[in-house]
Amino acid sequence: MSSGIITGLAMLAFVAIVIWVFVIKRKEDFDEQANLPLDEDDKTEQDKEHRS
């Protein structure tokens, strides 16, 4: 009986996290964070070009 309750709570937590990540959190935030490494590489290459 208690294992069923724990399984149900774990499933509810999983569904809540999925909803928070894919529905509530804005896509623009994910895109901005995903492009941070690429932006940093572009900035360093531009700095090298300006120095030479």
Side-chain angles (χ1 to χ4, degrees):
M1 176 74 179
S2 65
S3 63
I5 293 171
I6 292 172
T7 301
L9 290 174
M11 188 169 184
L12 283 174
F14 175 76
V15 169
I17 290 171
V18 168
I19 289 172
W20 177 74
V21 168
F22 291 107
V23 176
I24 295 174
K25 188 79 173 169
R26 295 183 324 187
K27 185 180 181 316
E28 293 86 21
D29 291 341
F30 288 128
D31 289 341
E32 181 181 335
Q33 292 175 3
N35 289 326
L36 280 176
L38 301 174
D39 291 340
E40 187 68 29
D41 289 341
D42 289 342
K43 287 179 184 176
T44 56
E45 289 179 11
Q46 290 176 353
D47 289 342
K48 288 179 183 177
E49 291 175 2
H50 287 287
R51 290 182 185 167
S52 58

